[in-house]
Amino acid sequence: LVQINQNYFDVFFSRLEDFPEIHKLFPRADIKFIPDSGHWPHAEKPKEFSQTVIDFLDECLEDHEEQQLDDN
């Protein structure tokens, strides 16, 4: 299942072979795997899930800061 919103998409569950199609729609998409987790990685592996989200947000912040510098 892939949930698509105007500004983001969430892959709740996807097969690796689906990634090329996802990448066509979202060229900057990336897949993160959390080993030994299933459909609810946030509940099954909370530390690993949280670190993955933090890493993602850090990347977004870095991209935003770089864009701000480029705009000035």
Side-chain angles (χ1 to χ4, degrees):
L1 297 172
V2 177
Q3 177 182 358
I4 299 175
N5 187 307
Q6 293 178 2
N7 299 319
Y8 72 95
F9 78 99
D10 261 341
V11 178
F12 294 110
F13 176 79
S14 184
R15 299 170 303 169
L16 186 56
E17 58 265 21
D18 294 334
F19 186 67
E21 188 63 29
I22 293 169
H23 200 261
K24 285 181 191 175
L25 296 170
F26 302 97
R28 296 179 62 198
D30 194 8
I31 291 181
K32 302 295 183 190
F33 292 98
I34 299 177
D36 301 318
S37 67
H39 189 69
W40 288 33
H42 60 285
E44 296 166 355
K45 296 284 189 165
K47 289 181 183 177
E48 293 87 342
F49 178 83
S50 296
Q51 188 59 55
T52 300
V53 171
I54 289 168
D55 293 345
F56 169 76
L57 294 174
D58 284 344
E59 288 177 28
C60 290
L61 182 58
E62 289 173 11
D63 288 347
H64 177 73
E65 290 172 344
E66 287 176 14
Q67 183 64 39
Q68 293 291 345
L69 290 174
D70 290 343
D71 289 346
N72 291 327

